[in-house]
Amino acid sequence: MTLKLLKEDGLKKLIEALNKADTRVVGPKRNKAGMVTYDDVNADTELELDEVIGRYSPKDAFFPQHETVMRYKLDGKDVHVKAETPVIKETVLLGVRPCDAAAMISLNKVFTWDYVDTLFTERQKKATIISLACNNADESCFCTSVGFAPDGTEGSDILLKKIKSGGYLAELITKEGEAFATTHKSIFENAPAKADTVAIAEPTKLDIDIDRIKSWLDDKEKSWEHPLWEQLAAKCVGCGGCTFVCPTCHCFDIVDEPYGDQGKRVKNWDGCQFDHFTLHASGHNPREHQPQRWRNRFSCKFKIYPDRFEKKGCVGCGRCIRVCPVNLDITEAMTEITQIAK
Amino acid sequence: MKIPYYPGCTLNTNAKDLQECAEFSAEALGFSMVEMPDWNCCGASLPLTANSAMGYAGPTNVLIGAKEEGQKEGLEDKLVTLCAVCYNVLKRTNYAFNKDAAKLDTINSLLESDYKGDTNVVHFLEVLRDDIGFDKVKESVSKELKGLKVAPYYGCFLLRPHEEVGLDDPYAPTIFEGLLKSLGCEVVDFSHKGECCGSYSAMSNAENAAECSFSVIDAAAAAGADVIATTCPLCQYNLDSKQAMMKKNHGDMKEMPIIYFTQLLSMALGKDIGKISFKSNSINPLPLLKEKGLV
Amino acid sequence: MSEEKVENKEVWTPRIIAYVCNWCTYGGADLAGTSRKTYDASVRVIKLPCTGRIDPLFLLKAFERGADSILVSGCHPGDCHYNTGNYHSRRRWTAFRDLLEFSGIDMRRIHFSWISAAEAVKWVDVVNDVSEKTKELGPYTEFQRINEKIKEYDGIFAEQG
Amino acid sequence: MESLQSKAKELIKDASVAVIIGYAAGTKKGKTKPFFAYSEEDCEKLIFTPECVNNLTIYLTRKFDFMKKGKVAIVAKGCDIKTINVLIQENQLKRDDVVILGVSCEGVVDKDVILDRAELTADLPEDKKSIKCITCDVNTPSDFDHLFGEGVESKAIEPMTGGIYDEVDKVRGMAQGEKWNFWMEHFERCIKCYACKKVCPLCYCDVCITEKNQPQWIETSAHERGNYAWNIKRAMDLSGRCTFCGECDRVCPAEIPLNLLNQEMAKLNYEAFDGYRAGYQTEEKPPFVSFKEDDDEGFIR
Amino acid sequence: MSRVGVFVCHCGTNISATVDVAKVAEEMKNQPGVVYTEDYKFMCSSPGQGKLKEIIDEHKLDSVVIAACSPHMHEKTFRNAAEAAGLNSFKVEMANIREQCSWVHPDKAEGTVKSLDLTKKMIEKVRLNEELDKIVMPVTKKALVIGGGIAGIQAALDIAAAGTEVIIVEKDVTLGGHMIQLSETFPTLDCSQCIMTPKMVEASLNPNITIYTYAEVEALDGYVGNFRARIRRKAKSVVEEDCTGCGICQEKCPKKVDNPFEMGHGKSKAIAVPFPQAVPNVPVIDRDSCIYYKTGKCRICEKVCGPKCIDFDQQDEIVNVDIGAIVVATGYDTMPLDRFGEYGYGKYKDVIDGLTFERMASAAGFTEGEMKRPSDGKTPETVVFIQCVGSRDESKGVSYCSKICCMYSAKQTMLYKHKVHHGKAHVFYMDIRAGGKNYEEFVRRAIEEDDANYIRGRVSRVYEKGDKLIVKGADTLSGRPVTIEADMVVLATAMTARKGADKLAQTLGISYDRYNFFSESHPKLRPVETNTAGIFLAGACQAPKDVPETVAQASAAASKVLGLLSQETLKREPITAEVNEANCIACFDCLNICPYGAITSKGITDRDGNIIKEVAEVNPGVCQGCGLCNAACRSKTIELRGFKDNQIYAEINSLAV
């Protein structure tokens, strides 16, 4: 793996270059409400690279919360239908965290599993992910407990590491990464033999064993009706915040929005924590209460994902913990189950 | 008990008798009236109905004064009056303010004050009834006025307009009667206790005023009264001093002494008759009182 | 529609949606007709049994569907065919107006009136006045812009709304 | 909170309630969590600190019947009890169905404020209090079955002034266009997660209007049109009902100032409908199901 | 996909002159769901309606839009026509392109554009219209009349005359009300008893009329056509059926009591009929004054009673009756006079009120019709009548005019003059209100023939002087104060609502005004109806009225009742609210906001009958279809048929630009 060096003004130059090339740059940026989200950046000064992690995941770049899939127009007795083919620009995800980068791989599995969702894959194809290793973690970070690392490389094309004296050490991970560096060779300079990088963050390592968790979940006899679900999740109000901030949650809903004699079919984020997510037309709801819905979310991360996509469903970003209004802490469940499953 | 007292123009002059006896009685009943400093005319002559700011400025100033004095000197939180007209004007001022905050604001801005319309205005009679109690008065009576037939005359100012002044039921009042009973005299009920003495037309049409006064005296006489007791300097003046003029039209009319209720009160409470001044009485009540064996 | 479009449109006519009750205002409008009083043609009447049936959502949706102004009209207090319908709606409107104003809606575009079945003249005056004012104000681009924005979200096809 | 725990145990012991809805220490610094105590040992986990921000009354609504397993006791701050009053007023709850363990409270922490242990014991500084606490006049609950914590003198306040209401007045003061842009900037961020409605104890409908597609009053997409409609509809539905527990504002991941909308409505109701304030009694009919013949109609011609 | 037919009417040239009807018809062809369009000269003409039926049948239309005049004009016409063709009448909508287009927009282009919009709008709506069936309700062919005065009796007689059963509930011990107390009635001076008594008897003999005296309506439920009333018959202590009305008990009863019927003047007994012609002529024991009920001794009446019908242990009896319609005729009270100290009522015996004068003037009254003043029985030489005592007096009384006082004061001056020829009557009045057939003439007669002295002004004071009453007042015409030495003063006191009228209104669920008079449904067009279907008003319980008006209104109410009860079943427009029970969360905003109390709470039970949840339920018999509940419902769980949210939405959406 090649190492390169980004000088202090490297990012500045890079963004200028990308702007020139009319490439979309998405990075951590403080919005009007003062929170950091991943949004279009036009200058390195906008970047908030010291923030532990953005409020939402950057998945929005590939899987927008709201997008039109087709439009229709009534014309007399006929209907004109036209599929949506949005213009998709070259995109660079700059300064996202390794966990988010890894999550993109998991997401890809979902959107290419049976039907290939070109709206997603196109965007992903045209994107280069330049992630930034974490130098600090907060109480909610737990990537190391689920097999990822603050400087993990999975999903990134290039991984940046902060150099004490300024600038970044760039690990070119994929050939796309290599290519990207070559395109911008003036910015990606040759790295010195030894660069003194800032210490990598060390999130608390929790007593969690995801394999044990999975095997417990596999044993439905034991796990399905276990009182644990209610003990933990009865307090859940079903706000769904966790699903919206989660980098691997991927559920969406398709609805028509009429406007006069025309309209569009839109694809909007949905979440398994909403009470109407599984409501049948009959009025019956197989997941009647919040604990069952939360059991589903949990199983999705630690059983369904591995089973179906041989991928981890949780990258330990901790967003769901930060955003939860009732302190429903997924790591609490994981540690407890790890115990139970002993 | 010390109560801020507002004399108004007449009490220190024409109606001194009323005031002196009141002060004596107060003393005897164990409370005192503290005359408030630099008071001004209540404005009786500037009718409130004209609704001019000036009409209210006067009384408001008095009301404020009383409150301040009361607070400064740690007196009762009320204002006592003896003159029915002052009582009427002051009460109606408060009423107007409580009805119409805007009015209060204008006056306050005019006087650069922040009066709330809450000075509690009471008449001497009310103090006797509510603070002292007629029973207590009865106990304190040293000389019962037995055999004296007294017609209690309220006049209009104490009773009307009822909702604004509201001392008592304008058609069946009892407070005055209550006091007189406690003094041991025989109270005569008569139809004109609340009628007007005519003072409003005293200047413009003396004849008519005299007629009004006469009808009052006549009714009292018909009901068998020896004497009419009044609370109001104006009434006293009209009923009393105009009797000569009345005689012209009603030859058969018998003179009737018009006496202040405080004069009777102080008598009963043992004030030496010699010390009671009857300056304001043109019809001297003394002969009658002698006849009744009260002197 | 965006402002530019309006400018190069030679004639723009305002779109005014009127929510009226069946018994009083609708009757008033009928009377205006039978007595051949002419007035501006930009108003479209939606008839409801009572102003009490008018849901705040109706007004919102009208703006969402491109209305430039809205008129709500019913029976004078005490005349309500259902006794108290208009009293209740009056309260609802009091709150809803305040909310719209607070959230930045242009209140010059929402009008309320009591028009009895006899007040044909008032109906005519009110409608003319509303369309007059609306013409002065021009199209409600400020709100319609959020219809515009939506198209931006959707990338291409903007022109097809 | 010794007494709270012992009273709780007592209630469980003599089976006068099946569950106590309260607070327990959270898993992260500065966090507490809603906690359901079914057993006496559970009761030992019950706490009350300035970090107990949640309005637990949401668990009294029907959708949580499944976890009640019998009669319920709830740990409630003065502000939470206002919600209980509205729930009673709106037939969602009978007073006898719940045992109120009232806690006197000098204020809870503002969102994102994390206290050091030291601060927890000391008086909470104003600048760290949730904004709803600035204008709170129910520090000692109005209605309760048992009261805990040394009685805090409820502040005498001039209703609808100070705290959030100053901010409300700021917005009121803006020009129309200003207001519009102000709100559009905020609504633009709405991600339609509906956390605001999910956490609101007064959004107890079985089927929310947002879940109805025929007709589609509220568009599902998170674009300004849909977002505006949703936030307005929500504020309107809470008008005359919202008790300012501030939960919606607290949980909004997009940081939309929902308190502003709700409290504007509260203020309007106070001003327009004879000083009506939701949650202060259970008898009086709420403004929208009652009227006065002489209600103001200055805006109607 | 629906099959809509659109018919555009020319209305002669009324529409076609300023709307391009052909274009409208043509363009609507393209609307989704439209299978047929046509423009036609006169849709409402019988050929037009014929065509409508044909096309419905031929093109299997499932909905129809008629673009023509206002629905207020012809909606019924077309709905009936469509129904005749087998289409549900609620699948027909009208687009108002005449009153709202052709007649008001002279510019043909504009008018046409608008017509297109309006027609399209109604097409969108009608496609979502549901087939609705008229609501059919049974009718109980029996009426209840509350109050046995002239109003109640008249209403009952008229209803009974049509062969319909009717129940009169009177809270007093006899029929007759106030009218039977009156001496002679204006403007004809015929004796009240002579015209009232026969009616009372007629009512008591009529087989279709059941009379409960000494009884009150305690509760009412149900709705138009199907009410159930709970009536409490208070214990009379006399077995009504057995009593012969011989009157011996009253004669022998040792306990004298004041006679309320004589306004407290003449005496009566503890067991008595208020007056000889009482109907039913059955005495009642007044348990508060009867010696036996006080001391446990006496029972003289029991001993002397031939048929042995005294029953001291008699209990109140509850009767439940099912009725289809109700007439409320509870009459009026007169204003208490204690607040008018200036007139000295209660203080001076010879200051009396109008009703007392009526008794004094009545041949059967406490003076056998002779003019004797109460204090000393002297014949009053001078009588002063004061009008508007409490009426038209915001500050002390009521702001309304009691309407009858001008007339009865005039009448009373006449009665007085006819009995005391040398006497003098003075009347203080504010205005003379003598609107009515022969009323003005009547007043003039009082003034000119019976030389009553009318003084326009108020009385400030009445006081006693010797055996005279001094009346001081103002003559505002001459601008002078007047003083009259009178022997008797008669006060024309204001008419007020019955004491407890508000309670009754709440029991019946009808509305009442700030004076507790019952409110009519519409001041001009529905003066006898209340807002509660099936309940009607007669007489002074609605507002002050004189006898002729009362009788007229009573007959009007009766005809309303008969109109209602003549139907086998009641059909009502099905435009009513309906609840989606699955979604209702029972916050009951709808219940609280409904002006008709049409919404109640209902328990949903599981198989074992345990209530699992509570929901709102609409009573279609009571619901009037205003839609308040629909707008109030946060989750749109209660909706108004015919104006459901999706229908309104479709209309708005169709207008999108």
Side-chain angles (χ1 to χ4, degrees), chain C residues 15 22 30 44 55 65, chain E residues 70 72 117 636 653 655:
Chain C
R15 167 53 54 97
N22 175 45
D30 276 356
R44 303 286 183 269
D55 194 305
R65 292 299 179 259
Chain E
S70 163
H72 288 184
D117 279 347
K636 306 300 152 209
N653 193 51
L655 293 172

Side-chain angles (χ1 to χ4, degrees), chain B residues 90-100 117 163-165:
Chain B
L90 294 174
K91 272 213 127 162
R92 289 173 64 191
T93 306
N94 274 341
Y95 179 85
F97 288 162
N98 294 323
K99 264 245 177 296
D100 172 2
E163 62 278 20
E164 301 186 30
V165 181

Side-chain angles (χ1 to χ4, degrees), chain B residues 160 169 171-172 189-195 215 218-219 222, chain E residues 339-343 347-348 395-396 460-461 463-465 472:
Chain B
R160 297 195 183 75
D169 178 328
Y171 298 104
D189 181 29
F190 73 122
S191 54
H192 281 49
K193 56 176 66 160
E195 297 300 295
S215 65
D218 190 40
Chain E
R339 68 183 87 164
F340 300 102
E342 61 266 47
Y343 301 135
K347 191 169 179 194
Y348 310 126
S395 59
K396 284 176 121 182
S460 65
R461 189 97 169 76
Y463 61 86
E464 215 162 29
K465 188 173 188 192
K472 280 176 169 281

